Amino acid sequence: MAQVRFAFLVILLYCGNDIFAQNDSLRPVVFTGVANMEVRFGPNCMGNEQASLSCPHIIIGGRLSLLNGWSVTSEFEYEHLYENHEWSHNLDNEFCTNTLYVTKSFTEALNVKAGIVDIPVGMTNSRGPALTIDDPESEADILPMAWHESGISLFGEYKRLAYSVTATSYLNTFEVLGLAARADYRVAKSLRLGFSGYIGKRCHGMVGRETSEQYSCASLNYLSLDMDYSVNGFLLDGSMLYCSVGNGKSFGCECGYDLMFNSDDSKFHSQIIPFLRYDYVCSKFLNNTKKYTIGMNIVPIPNLLFKAEYGIRDYECLETSTQFALSLGYTVSF
């Protein structure tokens, strides 16, 4: 709740500062948003009845463009989950404020945002491509997913380079947590290379909550290298991660091909993308794991997405498990 109060305080400070602004007074205030609704079944560990159902899983985000380069951005997530033969009834676990911040844009290369901000460490947290239903295990086993913290961020784009530098804090004690940075370079239109990292404390914030069961140390550092390549219907992406605690290392990559890429069907923009994925995680505090996934993404009409996948998870010290998962999602822009 302290994060939400801080975000609203930043918004109120903006309103008080900008209410008397005269420049661009005739420029309309514009709100744009997107809502994604999903029903997901799985993963189902075959033979042990540990199936789960997510219904519904809703993510709603929006951006309110104001005057003089100011804007307010938010994203909220709700997931009603059925697992262990019962429905979840804990709203604190089902609802999350992923982002809620105020942005001031000076130029395309220089912007500042403050509030509950995203931490773009790793490919998934920077909204990179992922063909699987759930977050890739090579990142989800080591990193907090949908990582967000209270903080302030400097970001922008210059030619082929995009960057962000974020300082995070714990508001209850006004304690500085750490520093996250990311840089993406567009080598060509179809190829992007990214580098990101985090150095700081693990005692508070989302990074503290998400890693409390794995790590007991006070500090935590991450390094990540990722890429994606897309040309003529062929898709390829991958990432490597390093975690300072437990000498954690992971690697994940996937490739797919859009069978409808050369189709003459321009009305529905349909897609059929079979894919393969490999994930590897190695750490002193985790079960060393290899996972092999085969799946299919189908877009019959715009904004409607069906996914199906089958995976084999090979543990170093446990029995091999198999998984099957399905999802159906629809996206609405407004």
Side-chain angles (χ1 to χ4, degrees):
M1 289 302 296
Q3 287 184 323
V4 176
R5 289 195 296 268
F6 171 67
F8 276 116
L9 176 61
V10 172
I11 294 172
L12 290 174
L13 288 174
Y14 156 74
C15 294
N17 178 67
D18 205 54
I19 192 171
F20 299 109
Q22 299 298 320
N23 295 334
D24 298 334
S25 59
L26 299 179
R27 179 183 171 188
V29 174
V30 178
F31 178 80
T32 57
V34 61
N36 177 262
M37 294 152 283
E38 179 190 36
V39 176
R40 181 176 58 198
F41 171 79
N44 178 17
C45 298
M46 296 179 179
N48 56 14
E49 300 182 353
Q50 292 184 7
S52 63
L53 176 65
S54 176
C55 180
H57 182 202
I58 302 172
I59 300 176
I60 300 178
R63 184 174 185 269
L64 181 64
S65 300
L66 301 169
L67 308 178
N68 302 322
W70 291 90
S71 64
V72 179
T73 301
S74 63
E75 183 181 272
F76 305 97
E77 182 172 1
Y78 173 80
E79 183 175 16
H80 193 41
L81 190 64
Y82 177 85
E83 59 182 355
N84 297 324
H85 306 287
E86 63 179 0
W87 288 98
S88 171
H89 298 288
N90 189 335
L91 186 61
D92 290 338
N93 294 332
E94 295 176 338
F95 178 80
C96 182
T97 301
N98 288 340
T99 58
L100 182 59
Y101 56 81
V102 170
T103 302
K104 171 62 176 177
S105 297
F106 299 97
T107 67
E108 186 175 354
L110 181 60
N111 308 269
V112 178
K113 60 184 177 183
I116 303 175
V117 298
D118 54 302
I119 308 299
V121 176
M123 185 167 62
T124 307
N125 284 327
S126 60
R127 302 182 184 274
L131 297 173
T132 54
I133 295 174
D134 292 313
D135 296 323
E137 294 194 9
S138 58
E139 296 200 350
D141 284 356
I142 291 183
L143 280 169
M145 291 288 94
W147 191 359
H148 55 267
E149 306 282 2
S150 301
I152 184 169
S153 178
L154 185 72
F155 67 100
E157 295 183 16
Y158 179 73
K159 295 184 178 180
R160 297 185 177 186
L161 178 68
Y163 75 93
S164 70
V165 179
T166 305
T168 65
S169 64
Y170 181 61
L171 296 179
N172 289 0
T173 58
F174 295 97
E175 181 180 359
V176 176
L177 283 182
L179 186 69
R182 180 173 185 87
D184 290 288
Y185 184 73
R186 183 65 63 176
V187 179
K189 185 178 180 180
S190 57
L191 176 61
R192 178 200 60 83
L193 299 178
F195 179 80
S196 57
Y198 171 83
I199 180 171
K201 303 175 183 177
R202 192 212 54 82
C203 49
H204 298 296
M206 184 176 180
V207 66
R209 295 191 304 272
E210 295 294 319
T211 61
S212 60
E213 296 182 359
Q214 298 167 309
Y215 313 129
S216 59
C217 62
S219 62
L220 188 63
N221 305 325
Y222 289 110
L223 286 176
S224 173
L225 179 66
D226 55 76
M227 58 78 66
D228 61 75
Y229 177 73
S230 175
V231 62
N232 298 328
F234 176 75
L235 311 170
L236 174 67
D237 64 74
S239 67
M240 294 186 293
L241 274 167
Y242 170 77
C243 177
S244 61
V245 181
N247 194 29
K249 297 179 287 290
S250 72
F251 170 76
C253 66
E254 64 186 6
C255 63
Y257 180 73
D258 183 4
L259 301 177
M260 303 293 289
F261 179 77
N262 293 318
S263 172
D264 295 330
D265 182 9
S266 59
K267 180 179 180 180
F268 294 109
H269 302 285
S270 302
Q271 291 181 306
I272 301 177
I273 306 176
F275 70 89
L276 297 171
R277 180 171 184 91
Y278 171 77
D279 292 280
Y280 173 72
V281 179
C282 174
S283 172
K284 294 180 181 178
F285 299 104
L286 297 171
N287 285 321
N288 295 348
T289 308
K290 298 176 183 178
K291 185 180 180 183
Y292 311 88
T293 305
I294 182 172
M296 179 85 72
N297 291 355
I298 301 175
V299 181
I301 60 175
N303 302 327
L304 181 65
L305 174 61
F306 172 76
K307 291 185 175 184
E309 65 182 45
Y310 175 81
I312 299 174
R313 185 185 287 110
D314 184 13
Y315 295 101
E316 185 175 277
C317 302
L318 299 173
E319 292 184 2
T320 299
S321 66
T322 57
Q323 294 181 329
F324 177 68
L326 299 169
S327 79
L328 180 65
Y330 189 76
T331 301
V332 178
S333 299
F334 51 90

